[in-house]
Amino acid sequence: MASDGFRPLDEKSLLEYLKATPVLAEKLGNQFEDLQIKEVGDGNLNFVYIVVGRSGSFVIKQALPYIRCIGESWPMTKERAYFEARTLREHRRVCPDQTPEVYHFDRAMCVIGMRYIEPPHIILRKGLIAGKEYPLLAEHMSDFMAKTLFFSSLLYLTTTEHKHAVAEFCGNVELCRLTEQVVFSDPYKVSQYNHWTSPYLDSDAEAVRQDNILKLEVAELKSKFCERTQALIHGDLHTGSIMVTSKSTQVIDPEFSFYGPMGFDVGAFIGNLILAYFAQDGHANEGNDRKEYKLWILKTIEETWNLFHKKFTALWDEHKDGPGEAYLPEIYNNAELHLLAKQKYMEDLFHDSLGFGAAKMIRRIVGVAHVEDFESIAEPEKRANCERQALTFAKLLLKERRRFKSIGEVVSAIQQPKP
Amino acid sequence: MASDGFRPLDEKSLLEYLKATPVLAEKLGNQFEDLQIKEVGDGNLNFVYIVVGRSGSFVIKQALPYIRCIGESWPMTKERAYFEARTLREHRRVCPDQTPEVYHFDRAMCVIGMRYIEPPHIILRKGLIAGKEYPLLAEHMSDFMAKTLFFSSLLYLTTTEHKHAVAEFCGNVELCRLTEQVVFSDPYKVSQYNHWTSPYLDSDAEAVRQDNILKLEVAELKSKFCERTQALIHGDLHTGSIMVTSKSTQVIDPEFSFYGPMGFDVGAFIGNLILAYFAQDGHANEGNDRKEYKLWILKTIEETWNLFHKKFTALWDEHKDGPGEAYLPEIYNNAELHLLAKQKYMEDLFHDSLGFGAAKMIRRIVGVAHVEDFESIAEPEKRANCERQALTFAKLLLKERRRFKSIGEVVSAIQQPKP
């Protein structure tokens, strides 16, 4: 055991750990004979064990001091587990329906014990690849984003509470730096980690690195990411951080959380839906041309923003005489001004979301970490064609985001034939 | 003595304190017989003693746990002394010529021992009221602002260093809240602390409280103040925080310092020069119509911004391959893009500065703390006329700031007759 009390768990030591941890042992009815323990960490960063006993189940997630998918050559603070547990609990407080419960957190061991999000839940990204519709997805995700972002912003918090929380989450700087590198930097320069569907996209990747206007816009977004402490954001809200059934939506993995720009979360979700849209032609086959499914994705994108807008501003209305110090009631509570303030705030947030969403799309095509939506298209030329369409749209969206007045206009632009 | 080790000093206990503090006692050559000790705190917040001995001198500044000018009814953390000392030392490191040396800091007692900025230094505001020209003021202040802001921004720091510093200065939240209240809130609502030259400005104050567009712009500036961690700003850089002779410029009192928007400092200085400009007609007399002096103020405003722009971008050029992570050299080092990036950054900073400068002007006319520039105009109607001109210009500047392309255009607008 290291001097800081940390040791990586394996299946055997995990069992001992469970026996020695009352809150977890009790979940299992203190029955350890026929436990099922399965390592399922298919993510990039951590060990994840599913533990199922006769009287209960949970997931054990352990952060390691490096990035699992790259190995010990890319060290990464295991303190991220602290911020993940901290944010899960905060999300659970303000949005219990879309957040799994945390049963146990062990800071020294970087171990989180939390709800096992049982089958038929699957990762949303896998559902999108399979062409499955989730009728409540927009409803649930707009709810999650409206609540988690509103309640951690100065629309609801005092500046004392806000600065206190900002200071704490500054501690998650290493994870922020990883985002800075893989989202805002690497795709725009030559980097050993970048890859793309070669040779088809060689000139596209080169064009990204040569595009001054694109890079100027990316600098502005990066500055917002690094400097704007607007709300406690999830920080990695793509379709791989969401588990779904037709009735349930659960948001997991907020280890990148910190006080940043709200648009980074909204954009991550919408941008990844747009990626899923452009991947559909690669998944079409004789049995299913995916045309209807593509329309469902577009409808979900449109509903997500519109419902988010509605719910977020409804929270603002509801709490306009509350503790938040951004718009003091004595100054801003006249009907016309309150409306103007909301319009301005939401317009800025909309354009931020489009910008961040586009940046997250680009990095998934020419950066280090790709998405299964495209990677699962076996034929490289077909995959490259899908990716090129997504990349072309993302560049347009990033550069022209301020001219979009509604999500409907964005959805129309997605459907325009790409040159 | 309170349990935290704090006790307010008086002249007698100060003497004992000096004797017991080697670094200060040594400055005085350990000679205490004919010390001259004088309390000179004419500011709003603290006790300030000048201590002059035969072999040396210094200033002792002690923060009290309330706002001195209002009294114990307005408590204010004495921890501000820590941030003041911390920032003075940081400013001294990057801009020694315009920052007095700190000899001693005692956190428990909230005592700073620092250079006595000796006569003929006077507070700049008093010099501006007296009609004195300071030929090096623009040179020195542009130097101070360029260095202190650049070196604490992500143009020079890594995001690790930046987030670490941001977290620390979140601790100065109480002082930030005081600014939020007196600059961004009170002037725009009915507040017991507000006052103005009544009855002359009654309808002007009312108009400020009823101006929806103005209040919408103020909300945007307040959001930047609360959420944008762009650089370590002084936080109170008006003409009362600067001591001058014709050859020397010394910036003091950074107790409001924290990571905020750069434009708040640049705007504070320029906005207070504009206030000084509009006060001149109130100081004109038969012997001196102040016309030439007003032109000198305008020239100083123009030179301050233009020199700041030149020096700040020169620092950026010099350090573009340095540690700063906002614009990585591998992405942004092509001549055209580097130029575009600087233009965009400086244009945003210019508009921020105009906005914050205007907000700081408005609060000095209809808010709690006024400026001697106007207060020293004895005849109320004359004073009100000067203040109304300043207020009219400030409102225009705040609302229309984005249409100004250069400081020359701002200076022209200052000279336009006011309706």
Side-chain angles (χ1 to χ4, degrees):
Chain A
M1 189 188 289
S3 61
D4 62 358
F6 178 82
R7 60 178 200 281
L9 292 170
D10 56 25
E11 294 198 14
K12 187 156 160 267
S13 58
L14 174 60
L15 186 60
E16 296 312 307
Y17 184 85
L18 300 180
K19 288 179 181 174
T21 307
V23 65
L24 298 174
E26 279 161 27
K27 280 257 160 224
L28 303 170
N30 287 295
Q31 303 278 322
F32 304 100
E33 292 73 36
D34 50 2
L35 280 189
Q36 296 169 32
I37 298 182
K38 203 168 112 190
E39 213 286 302
V40 295
D42 65 346
N44 298 325
L45 295 164
N46 309 290
F47 279 131
V48 181
Y49 296 95
I50 293 170
V51 179
V52 180
R54 266 180 293 178
S55 71
S57 64
F58 46 77
V59 157
I60 294 289
K61 185 169 177 182
Q62 184 176 39
L64 302 171
Y66 49 82
I67 296 182
R68 190 183 173 193
C69 68
I70 293 181
E72 303 192 18
S73 65
W74 194 330
M76 182 53 54
T77 174
K78 53 190 165 50
E79 263 289 280
R80 63 187 187 266
Y82 168 77
F83 293 101
E84 177 167 354
R86 171 85 172 73
T87 299
L88 277 171
R89 284 172 164 158
E90 183 60 22
H91 285 172
R92 174 90 181 161
R93 196 174 65 81
V94 299
C95 189
D97 292 348
Q98 276 76 54
T99 313
E101 188 178 353
V102 171
Y103 306 129
H104 166 75
F105 176 61
D106 179 338
R107 192 162 186 171
M109 285 287 284
C110 308
V111 163
I112 298 172
M114 58 187 282
R115 173 183 165 193
Y116 167 41
I117 302 171
E118 71 293 341
H121 281 98
I122 59 169
I123 293 287
L124 171 58
R125 195 185 297 286
K126 290 183 189 289
L128 293 166
I129 294 166
K132 281 209 53 148
E133 294 188 12
Y134 297 96
L136 297 176
L137 182 63
E139 191 73 48
H140 288 165
M141 285 306 296
S142 59
D143 217 47
F144 176 85
M145 295 190 295
K147 288 173 178 165
T148 59
L149 299 177
F150 178 85
F151 287 114
S152 61
S153 76
L154 283 170
L155 297 173
Y156 185 74
L157 299 182
T158 67
T159 56
T160 306
E161 295 165 325
H162 174 259
K163 276 222 164 36
H164 189 80
V166 168
E168 180 181 2
F169 279 93
C170 279
N172 207 18
V173 57
E174 279 199 50
L175 277 280
C176 293
R177 289 175 64 77
L178 184 54
T179 301
E180 289 156 23
Q181 178 179 344
V182 300
V183 176
F184 299 107
S185 298
D186 279 358
Y188 304 94
K189 67 187 186 69
V190 174
S191 160
Q192 57 169 314
Y193 301 109
N194 290 343
H195 61 100
W196 53 81
T197 303
S198 185
Y200 308 99
L201 297 186
D202 288 0
S203 62
D204 300 84
E206 170 75 11
V208 166
R209 296 195 298 271
Q210 299 300 332
D211 190 331
N212 281 357
I213 301 304
L214 189 69
K215 295 201 284 187
L216 209 56
E217 293 292 346
V218 168
E220 183 177 325
L221 293 170
K222 182 179 176 185
S223 150
K224 281 195 181 167
F225 183 83
C226 294
E227 294 175 351
R228 183 155 191 208
T229 62
Q230 193 179 18
L232 177 58
I233 66 174
H234 179 286
D236 198 27
L237 196 54
H238 57 75
T239 52
S241 298
I242 301 165
M243 299 196 69
V244 283
T245 67
S246 59
K247 296 202 184 81
S248 161
T249 307
Q250 300 293 313
V251 178
I252 58 175
D253 293 353
E255 60 206 302
F256 285 86
S257 57
F258 76 113
Y259 270 75
M262 295 179 180
F264 194 77
D265 273 4
V266 182
F269 181 63
I270 288 178
N272 274 268
L273 287 179
I274 302 175
L275 288 177
Y277 172 91
F278 283 111
Q280 293 303 318
D281 287 350
H283 303 307
N285 57 35
E286 286 173 17
N288 186 347
D289 65 6
R290 299 284 179 120
K291 283 194 178 146
E292 264 188 59
Y293 192 62
K294 286 167 77 173
L295 293 177
W296 176 81
I297 296 178
L298 295 179
K299 184 163 75 86
T300 303
I301 291 168
E302 193 158 351
E303 283 182 4
T304 296
W305 173 262
N306 287 334
L307 286 169
F308 170 76
H309 185 290
K310 187 177 144 193
K311 292 172 186 192
F312 190 93
T313 54
L315 287 171
W316 190 340
D317 289 343
E318 188 185 338
H319 295 280
K320 71 186 169 52
D321 299 306
E325 294 187 323
Y327 297 84
L328 299 183
E330 297 154 282
I331 303 174
Y332 293 95
N333 275 4
N334 78 59
E336 186 196 340
L337 182 53
H338 182 61
L339 186 66
L340 283 171
K342 282 188 293 186
Q343 282 171 346
K344 191 164 189 295
Y345 196 100
M346 297 312 288
E347 186 183 317
D348 286 347
L349 177 48
F350 181 58
H351 292 149
D352 276 6
S353 300
L354 299 182
F356 285 119
K360 304 266 283 181
M361 291 174 67
I362 292 169
R363 76 97 157 197
R364 293 298 194 178
I365 298 165
V366 298
V368 54
H370 287 222
V371 287
E372 199 180 334
D373 309 65
F374 293 128
E375 296 301 289
S376 60
I377 301 168
E379 216 276 280
E381 191 168 356
K382 191 194 263 187
R383 186 195 325 138
N385 283 336
C386 293
E387 290 175 320
R388 186 180 293 112
Q389 291 207 27
L391 183 62
T392 303
F393 177 72
K395 286 165 62 174
L396 173 129
L397 188 62
L398 209 157
K399 292 191 228 182
E400 304 286 325
R401 66 189 182 278
R402 294 176 197 85
R403 76 169 169 82
F404 290 97
K405 300 280 178 215
S406 71
I407 190 73
E409 288 180 19
V410 176
V411 163
S412 296
I414 293 173
Q415 294 170 287
Q416 295 298 313
K418 304 291 168 288
Chain B
M1 189 188 290
S3 62
D4 62 357
F6 177 83
R7 62 178 199 283
L9 291 171
D10 55 24
E11 293 201 13
K12 187 156 161 268
S13 58
L14 174 60
L15 187 60
E16 295 313 306
Y17 185 85
L18 300 180
K19 287 179 181 172
T21 308
V23 65
L24 297 175
E26 278 162 29
K27 280 255 162 228
L28 302 171
N30 287 296
Q31 305 277 323
F32 304 98
E33 291 73 38
D34 50 1
L35 279 189
Q36 295 169 33
I37 297 182
K38 202 167 114 191
E39 214 286 303
V40 294
D42 65 346
N44 299 325
L45 296 164
N46 309 291
F47 279 131
V48 181
Y49 297 94
I50 294 169
V51 179
V52 180
R54 264 180 295 178
S55 71
S57 64
F58 46 77
V59 156
I60 294 290
K61 184 170 176 182
Q62 184 176 40
L64 302 171
Y66 50 82
I67 296 181
R68 190 183 172 194
C69 67
I70 293 182
E72 302 193 18
S73 67
W74 194 330
M76 184 50 54
T77 175
K78 54 190 165 51
E79 264 290 278
R80 63 186 188 266
Y82 168 77
F83 294 102
E84 176 167 355
R86 171 85 173 72
T87 299
L88 276 171
R89 282 172 166 157
E90 184 60 23
H91 285 172
R92 174 93 182 159
R93 195 174 66 80
V94 299
C95 188
D97 291 348
Q98 275 77 52
T99 314
E101 187 177 355
V102 171
Y103 306 131
H104 166 74
F105 176 60
D106 178 338
R107 191 162 187 172
M109 286 286 284
C110 308
V111 162
I112 298 172
M114 57 187 281
R115 174 186 163 191
Y116 168 40
I117 303 170
E118 72 294 340
H121 281 95
I122 60 169
I123 294 288
L124 172 58
R125 195 184 296 286
K126 292 183 187 291
L128 293 166
I129 293 167
K132 280 210 54 149
E133 294 188 13
Y134 296 94
L136 297 177
L137 182 63
E139 190 75 48
H140 288 165
M141 286 305 297
S142 60
D143 214 49
F144 176 83
M145 295 191 293
K147 287 174 179 164
T148 59
L149 298 176
F150 178 85
F151 285 115
S152 61
S153 77
L154 284 169
L155 296 173
Y156 185 74
L157 298 182
T158 67
T159 55
T160 306
E161 295 165 324
H162 174 259
K163 275 221 165 33
H164 189 79
V166 167
E168 181 182 0
F169 278 92
C170 279
N172 206 18
V173 59
E174 280 199 50
L175 278 279
C176 293
R177 287 175 65 77
L178 183 55
T179 301
E180 289 156 24
Q181 178 180 343
V182 301
V183 176
F184 298 109
S185 299
D186 279 358
Y188 304 94
K189 67 187 185 69
V190 174
S191 160
Q192 57 169 314
Y193 301 109
N194 290 343
H195 62 100
W196 51 82
T197 303
S198 186
Y200 308 99
L201 297 186
D202 288 359
S203 63
D204 301 85
E206 170 74 10
V208 167
R209 295 196 298 272
Q210 299 300 331
D211 190 331
N212 280 357
I213 301 305
L214 189 69
K215 295 202 283 187
L216 209 58
E217 293 292 347
V218 168
E220 183 177 324
L221 292 171
K222 182 180 176 185
S223 152
K224 279 194 181 165
F225 183 81
C226 293
E227 293 176 352
R228 184 157 191 208
T229 62
Q230 192 178 19
L232 176 58
I233 66 173
H234 178 286
D236 197 28
L237 197 55
H238 56 76
T239 51
S241 299
I242 301 164
M243 298 194 69
V244 284
T245 67
S246 59
K247 297 203 183 81
S248 160
T249 306
Q250 300 292 313
V251 178
I252 58 174
D253 294 351
E255 60 204 306
F256 285 85
S257 56
F258 76 112
Y259 271 74
M262 295 178 179
F264 194 77
D265 273 4
V266 181
F269 181 63
I270 289 178
N272 274 270
L273 287 179
I274 301 175
L275 288 177
Y277 173 89
F278 283 112
Q280 293 305 316
D281 288 348
H283 303 307
N285 56 33
E286 284 172 19
N288 186 346
D289 64 8
R290 297 285 180 123
K291 282 193 179 147
E292 262 189 61
Y293 192 61
K294 285 166 76 173
L295 293 176
W296 176 81
I297 295 179
L298 294 178
K299 184 164 75 88
T300 302
I301 291 169
E302 193 157 352
E303 282 182 5
T304 296
W305 173 263
N306 288 334
L307 286 169
F308 171 76
H309 185 291
K310 186 176 145 195
K311 291 173 185 190
F312 189 92
T313 55
L315 286 171
W316 190 341
D317 289 343
E318 189 185 338
H319 295 282
K320 71 185 168 54
D321 299 306
E325 293 187 324
Y327 296 85
L328 298 182
E330 295 155 283
I331 303 174
Y332 293 94
N333 275 4
N334 79 59
E336 188 196 341
L337 183 53
H338 181 61
L339 187 64
L340 284 172
K342 282 188 293 186
Q343 282 170 346
K344 192 163 187 298
Y345 195 100
M346 297 312 288
E347 187 183 318
D348 287 347
L349 178 48
F350 181 57
H351 292 149
D352 277 5
S353 301
L354 299 183
F356 286 119
K360 306 265 284 183
M361 290 174 68
I362 291 169
R363 75 97 157 197
R364 294 298 194 177
I365 298 163
V366 298
V368 54
H370 287 222
V371 287
E372 198 181 334
D373 309 66
F374 293 127
E375 297 301 288
S376 60
I377 302 170
E379 215 275 281
E381 191 168 354
K382 190 194 260 187
R383 186 195 325 138
N385 284 336
C386 293
E387 289 175 320
R388 186 180 294 112
Q389 291 206 28
L391 182 62
T392 303
F393 177 72
K395 286 165 63 175
L396 173 129
L397 187 63
L398 209 158
K399 293 192 227 182
E400 304 287 326
R401 65 190 184 277
R402 295 175 197 84
R403 76 168 168 81
F404 290 97
K405 300 282 177 214
S406 70
I407 191 72
E409 290 179 18
V410 177
V411 163
S412 296
I414 294 173
Q415 294 169 287
Q416 295 298 311
K418 303 291 169 288

